[in-house]
Amino acid sequence: MKERLSNNGNGYYPALSHIAKVSNSELSLRRICNSIAKSTARALGAGGCRILLLDSRKKYLSTIGAFGLSDFYLRKGLLDGHKSLPDILEGKVVFVPDATNDERVQHNQIAEAQRVCSILGAPIEDKGEIIGEIRVYTHEPRDFQDRDREFLVSVTDMSAVLLERQRLQQLLVKNNQPNKKTLVPSSPPKLTVSTLRPAEFAHPSEEEFANILNFYCVEWLYEPRSFPLNWDNDRVTEMFTPDFYLPELNIYIELTTLKQSLMTVKHRKLRKLKELYPNINIKLLTKKDIVTLLASHGYNPVIETKAEGVAQILYSHSQLQRRIRTLAKRISNDYAGQQLVLVGIPKGVICFISDLMQHISIPLNLDIMAISYYGGEGQVAKITKDLDGIIAGRHVLMVEDIIDTGITLNYVLNYLRVHNPASLRVCTLFDKRTRRLVDIPLDYIGFEVPDKFIVGYGLDYKGKYRNLPFVGVLRPELIRNEIPATSAPDINNRPE
Ligand code: IMP
Ligand code: MG
């Protein structure tokens, strides 16, 4: 076996100083990251290095900067952070002496073909949360020392500061664009590969596509994988790199203009790709097809009509469904072996309660009440349809769409208590906590929402928007003239 080399560490201080300098420069994020990768690799005497950022579901890693690695190696396949060196995402510095022969490495053969030998990886942590990694690759067997690890950890710390600063800058830019249709959410977006957007798009249509995906809260990865199409012995002579991968839908997307000459080439490559990789789901899309594709996955009905007036989508259909499944699982566990009655007050809650109950795995009863408001301030409620069943001695879970001031819920809970249920708890999809007037303990909460008027997935504004499959914020100009200062809905319309 070859002797393992080590490094004298003399280059660490100049490297860190150089990294600090480029991080503070006017260069694009991609270039800064490439430069950090280069300084890091050189200081460690390694052949290559790359900086990776996680997607919002913390599953896939995308390269946001690299040095010394071939395009093919960088895009060898989707890098699943939990399959490839998973300990890094657990917060550990990981050393792989021989990547070609180590089960922690996801694509061993490619590592071998690309002469990757030893790997050193460390997590990038942003306020205690792991958001990405830096990996260093050598062509020769290497023994990394403690000082090498310490150096790499310093680089990851500096990178975390850089990425955080970049995110804040992007928020500032967004805030200063008064004509932009999108609203800046009250909680800044998480640091992920699609919010930070380090990709340098090859074509404006790609950026537009990324904007549409962001609007609908659909996670995307830009050019994460290349598929070899032709070989000359061991050498790849032709590759195809689809523009996007949408992990939630498991679809690769190649965008296309209608230019005939380009279309023919793309069609040929696509046919070949489908032949060689029959399990890969890929679509060739024009701009018009995008809307149809998203619609077919429940993301939007038709942007121009049903969703008109929605400034920003807060939760996509699949985000809602994921959260609802989690709530349903907790409810099923908590009430196992008990007699559960779900109580809801339509109309706002109908989408939520119907999805929720389908995921609850224990037997249950459903009961529906109706209330209406009267009195000058709309603060006096009255029951217009009582429960059908008897709740005495049963475990009642009151299911709500959104709790705003809490006045409605308080009234209903007081009413239900009189009927002596064995227990009485509350499950709400949305909690607009900042507007609470009556403090009520909530047992199951889907999402805490900012003080904005939200519509969709059952929630309405003046009877409209209930049929949107997602939840969004209305354009403020639509309600500005009618709703005084707060986000209160039309009081006569409450609590549908
Ligand atoms: P509360 O009595 O103020 O808690 O009123 C809750 C009711 O107000 C909900 O059941 C909804 O019908 C309505 N509501 C409050 N905030 C919103 C919103 O942002 N969008 C739609 N309806 C809302
Ligand atoms: Mg309601």
Side-chain angles (χ1 to χ4, degrees):
M1 186 174 160
K2 271 196 207 167
E3 193 199 338
R4 289 212 191 129
L5 304 172
S6 70
N7 191 31
N8 64 18
N10 287 346
Y12 292 157
Y13 175 72
L16 289 174
S17 136
H18 181 254
I19 289 170
K21 208 169 255 163
V22 284
S23 297
N24 214 4
S25 72
E26 290 277 315
L27 293 175
S28 72
L29 179 62
R30 164 79 51 176
R31 288 197 170 174
I32 294 175
C33 291
N34 286 345
S35 180
I36 294 177
K38 184 173 174 178
S39 305
T40 308
R42 292 245 161 108
L44 281 162
C49 173
R50 66 164 147 176
I51 304 178
L52 299 139
L53 203 57
L54 276 170
D55 70 344
S56 70
R57 290 187 303 161
K58 305 215 169 284
K59 185 165 162 62
Y60 294 114
L61 290 158
S62 291
T63 305
I64 59 167
F67 168 76
L69 299 162
S70 72
D71 245 19
F72 180 50
Y73 187 75
L74 290 173
R75 299 197 176 121
K76 61 197 170 183
L78 285 172
L79 202 57
D80 184 329
H82 301 279
K83 290 197 182 134
S84 163
L85 309 187
D87 283 352
I88 305 183
L89 291 189
E90 301 285 319
K92 295 182 190 137
V93 177
V94 170
F95 170 51
V96 179
D98 181 6
T100 59
N101 197 6
D102 194 307
E103 60 187 27
R104 294 171 294 175
V105 177
Q106 217 186 340
H107 304 276
N108 306 74
Q109 315 93 322
I110 302 175
E112 187 160 6
Q114 299 284 316
R115 288 186 46 240
V116 166
C117 187
S118 306
I119 304 179
L120 183 67
I124 303 178
E125 276 188 53
D126 176 47
K127 299 186 228 42
E129 196 182 335
I130 295 171
I131 56 165
E133 307 178 357
I134 300 190
R135 296 184 182 194
V136 174
Y137 305 83
T138 69
H139 295 312
E140 306 291 334
R142 264 291 295 278
D143 236 353
F144 286 106
Q145 313 289 320
D146 283 350
R147 58 168 184 260
D148 302 326
R149 293 163 188 250
E150 282 159 19
F151 165 71
L152 189 61
V153 169
S154 304
V155 176
T156 59
D157 286 342
M158 288 169 87
S159 305
V161 175
L162 162 76
L163 295 171
E164 174 64 15
R165 202 184 66 152
Q166 196 80 17
R167 171 176 66 162
L168 293 176
Q169 250 167 18
Q170 290 188 357
L171 272 180
L172 280 176
V173 171
K174 264 196 184 167
N175 263 331
N176 288 331
Q177 292 176 332
N179 297 329
K180 264 250 148 118
K181 264 196 195 165
T182 51
L183 283 180
V184 176
S186 57
S187 54
K190 287 206 160 163
L191 252 174
T192 71
V193 69
S194 34
T195 53
L196 201 57
R197 222 190 269 197
E200 271 163 16
F201 294 106
H203 194 271
S205 68
E206 293 171 357
E207 182 153 19
E208 209 174 317
F209 182 57
N211 283 338
I212 296 178
L213 294 174
N214 283 355
F215 181 79
Y216 286 103
C217 304
V218 182
E219 184 73 28
W220 52 266
L221 304 173
Y222 183 66
E223 295 190 338
R225 181 167 177 189
S226 294
F227 297 90
L229 297 182
N230 271 308
W231 292 262
D232 179 5
N233 291 321
D234 267 356
R235 207 167 59 86
V236 177
T237 53
E238 187 179 31
M239 287 201 298
F240 185 60
T241 308
D243 299 321
F244 288 90
Y245 176 66
L246 314 183
E248 278 175 68
L249 314 183
N250 186 23
I251 295 181
Y252 287 88
I253 306 280
E254 176 65 13
L255 293 181
T256 175
T257 53
L258 292 170
K259 224 187 236 172
Q260 207 47 50
S261 53
L262 292 175
M263 285 285 270
T264 321
V265 178
K266 275 194 179 163
H267 277 301
R268 183 188 62 77
K269 284 193 166 187
L270 223 72
R271 258 200 315 277
K272 184 105 200 222
L273 187 138
K274 283 182 177 163
E275 259 171 53
L276 291 169
Y277 309 90
N279 296 329
I280 294 292
N281 194 0
I282 178 159
K283 288 202 158 50
L284 194 62
L285 292 189
T286 63
K287 205 171 129 194
K288 217 175 81 216
D289 303 327
I290 294 167
V291 177
T292 322
L293 172 86
L294 290 176
S296 71
H297 284 87
Y299 278 92
N300 70 325
V302 178
I303 304 184
E304 281 76 15
T305 54
K306 237 160 95 184
E308 194 181 355
V310 176
Q312 185 208 6
I313 292 180
L314 283 184
Y315 304 104
S316 70
H317 187 70
S318 63
Q319 284 171 319
L320 292 170
Q321 296 302 321
R322 264 207 303 276
R323 185 71 191 134
I324 291 168
R325 280 199 293 273
T326 308
L327 291 177
K329 212 183 255 173
R330 274 183 47 207
I331 292 168
S332 310
N333 284 337
D334 294 353
Y335 287 92
Q338 297 179 339
Q339 283 198 308
L340 175 61
V341 184
L342 296 187
V343 174
I345 304 175
K347 302 170 189 169
V349 81
I350 56 171
C351 293
F352 176 45
I353 204 166
S354 85
D355 282 338
L356 181 76
M357 71 180 176
Q358 290 174 63
H359 292 293
I360 294 180
S361 57
I362 55 168
L364 59 81
N365 284 80
L366 174 69
D367 216 329
I368 297 294
M369 291 169 77
I371 50 178
S372 69
Y373 291 89
Y374 59 93
E377 288 292 286
Q379 304 249 329
V380 193
K382 150 177 109 174
I383 308 241
T384 54
K385 188 209 159 289
D386 203 345
L387 295 171
D388 293 322
I390 293 163
I391 57 165
R394 294 186 161 203
H395 296 277
V396 173
L397 182 61
M398 179 71 210
V399 182
E400 276 279 19
D401 46 358
I402 181 164
I403 298 169
D404 187 18
T405 60
I407 292 173
T408 317
L409 179 65
N410 188 45
Y411 172 80
V412 175
L413 290 181
N414 284 337
Y415 175 81
L416 293 173
R417 254 183 226 115
V418 173
H419 291 80
N420 292 321
S423 70
L424 182 57
R425 287 191 188 159
V426 181
C427 170
T428 184
L429 183 56
F430 298 112
D431 178 8
K432 214 188 262 182
R433 193 162 296 178
T434 48
R435 299 239 314 146
R436 200 61 44 79
L437 295 178
V438 189
D439 195 23
I440 304 160
L442 304 178
D443 304 279
Y444 305 92
I445 300 171
F447 304 93
E448 226 182 276
V449 287
D451 183 9
K452 297 212 173 95
F453 198 74
I454 59 175
V455 292
Y457 194 65
L459 292 171
D460 72 311
Y461 175 63
K462 295 194 160 181
K464 276 170 54 185
Y465 302 105
R466 290 194 201 280
N467 53 337
L468 297 179
F470 47 73
V471 166
V473 179
L474 270 192
R475 297 242 288 275
E477 65 268 26
L478 291 182
I479 36 178
R480 195 176 292 142
N481 300 330
E482 301 161 48
I483 297 178
T486 72
S487 65
D490 178 351
I491 212 85
N492 296 317
N493 205 25
R494 203 177 64 158
E496 291 190 337

